[in-house]
Amino acid sequence: MEGYFDATDPEAGTLRLLFIGDIVGRPGRDLIKKGLPSLIERYDVDLVIANAENAAAGRGVTREIGDALLGCGVDVMTSGNHIWAQRETVDYIGAESRLLRPANFPAGVPGNGSYLARTEAGRPVGVINVMGRVFMQDLDDPFRRVLEEIEALRGRTRVIFVDFHAEATSEKVAMGWHLDGKVTAVIGTHTHVQSADDQILPGGTAYLTDAGMTGPHDGVIGVEKAAILDRFLRGMPVRMETASGNPRLNGVLIAADEATGRAKAIQRISISAVELERLDRQSAATRTRQ
Ligand SMILES: [Fe+2]
Ligand SMILES: [Fe+2]
């Protein structure tokens, strides 16, 4: 069956957003480098948002890596609990407003939790990053904080995307209902396993509990499996290394009505490195034919 996003000619007044789930280490970055330009072309994407909290060897993001992701076609980077894992991020986030940290860190923490992006054609898209509190660090209330961020963006754009970085499915589902009709999309991150509940809620908000990760899928949520198994079997501390095999790019496509901010379509994507290479060859062939 042909999906909404297979139509190469987007309807007028529609914005197409691509969100990429947690980019993990070099395998994740390689998928972006190799596949993102052809994905943008294939799906006529207007704006790319990617969670970069695990981009640097599974923990945090450096300036070099962040700049490289932006250079590959990522427009805005969101993050989560690993945001401060690399020491240089404190300086980087102060200078690079396209890198977000969860908005519900206490006031005065470096960086911002939202950003007003512009597509190539100059159309505005608001991006907000918040983090859950169930089984996670006890930050400020994300449910109240997110409303303040929406309020601040509302006068400038109808299209608002929220990355809710959280552990508990219940907290994520609750956030979906909390923001239904208030934003274009609420997409979960952090668990690194893509959920199958993509839907448009009755108020017009696209929702997915977790976008999954962009990285190696033959480990345990991105980490080499032997060490993790050892930890479960023996309870001893282990050294965690990023896994390498079966790299997949996971994320979600969202079509937004620019005038109302309502979502028109949502579609999960999960693409292997081999499929991305095929897509890249196809778009190269199309380009030569034109
Ligand atoms: Fe993550
Ligand atoms: Fe996380």
Side-chain angles (χ1 to χ4, degrees):
M1 202 184 78
E2 282 266 297
Y4 178 94
F5 291 94
D6 290 315
T8 46
D9 212 3
E11 301 157 271
T14 304
L15 273 177
R16 287 183 170 196
L17 313 179
L18 168 62
F19 177 71
I20 296 168
D22 303 29
I23 298 165
V24 178
R26 184 177 294 281
R29 301 194 315 263
D30 282 349
L31 287 163
I32 300 298
K33 206 182 336 175
K34 281 188 201 133
L36 187 55
S38 27
L39 267 184
I40 293 171
E41 194 177 307
R42 168 74 180 77
Y43 291 112
D44 264 307
V45 173
D46 296 297
L47 197 91
V48 180
I49 304 152
N51 188 301
E53 74 147 4
N54 307 106
R59 292 174 57 81
V61 57
T62 62
R63 179 188 297 268
E64 191 185 340
I65 287 171
D67 287 352
L69 291 173
L70 293 168
C72 290
V74 172
D75 294 293
V76 185
M77 296 179 286
T78 55
S79 66
N81 52 307
H82 291 297
I83 182 62
W84 310 120
Q86 305 289 334
R87 201 173 292 174
E88 65 181 80
T89 307
V90 172
D91 292 333
Y92 183 44
I93 206 165
E96 180 50 82
S97 52
R98 292 172 292 177
L99 172 63
L100 301 182
R101 45 87 174 155
N104 52 325
F105 271 103
V109 166
N112 292 299
S114 69
Y115 179 72
L116 184 76
R118 299 250 170 213
T119 67
E120 216 172 270
R123 297 141 87 189
V125 177
V127 181
I128 300 173
N129 192 188
V130 272
M131 193 157 98
R133 295 189 296 183
V134 179
F135 309 129
M136 297 187 95
Q137 194 181 349
D138 195 15
L139 296 179
D140 292 348
D141 181 351
F143 289 83
R144 286 188 176 78
R145 193 70 194 87
V146 74
L147 294 180
E148 293 167 8
E149 294 290 347
I150 293 166
E151 202 47 51
L153 287 167
R154 177 61 69 221
R156 293 182 289 173
T157 181
R158 303 303 298 178
V159 180
I160 298 177
F161 176 94
V162 177
D163 171 350
F164 188 35
H165 196 78
E167 182 80 52
T169 305
S170 57
E171 195 178 16
K172 288 158 135 171
V173 172
M175 184 62 87
W177 288 118
H178 181 53
L179 299 185
D180 184 26
K182 295 189 175 71
V183 298
T184 305
V186 176
I187 305 297
T189 55
H190 177 70
T191 70
H192 290 196
V193 177
Q194 190 176 77
S195 61
D197 58 340
D198 44 324
Q199 61 194 286
I200 296 179
L201 298 172
T205 296
Y207 177 81
L208 176 66
T209 294
D210 208 290
M213 69 163 172
T214 292
H217 278 69
D218 73 340
V220 178
I221 59 171
V223 178
E224 197 56 64
K225 57 182 173 286
I228 300 295
L229 270 171
D230 200 42
R231 186 157 104 169
F232 280 115
L233 288 166
R234 303 173 65 234
M236 299 283 287
V238 291
R239 192 179 149 77
M240 294 199 246
E241 303 276 359
T242 301
S244 56
N246 190 18
R248 297 186 76 85
L249 186 150
N250 280 346
V252 64
L253 289 159
I254 292 146
D257 183 314
E258 217 180 344
T260 62
R262 287 174 75 101
K264 298 168 93 169
I266 175 167
Q267 183 186 310
R268 283 179 288 129
I269 56 169
S270 180
I271 309 175
S272 71
V274 175
E275 288 164 333
L276 267 185
E277 271 161 34
R278 194 180 307 138
L279 193 68
D280 198 41
R281 280 198 300 274
Q282 279 167 0
S283 39
T286 318
R287 276 194 299 271
T288 28
R289 272 204 301 276
Q290 279 164 355

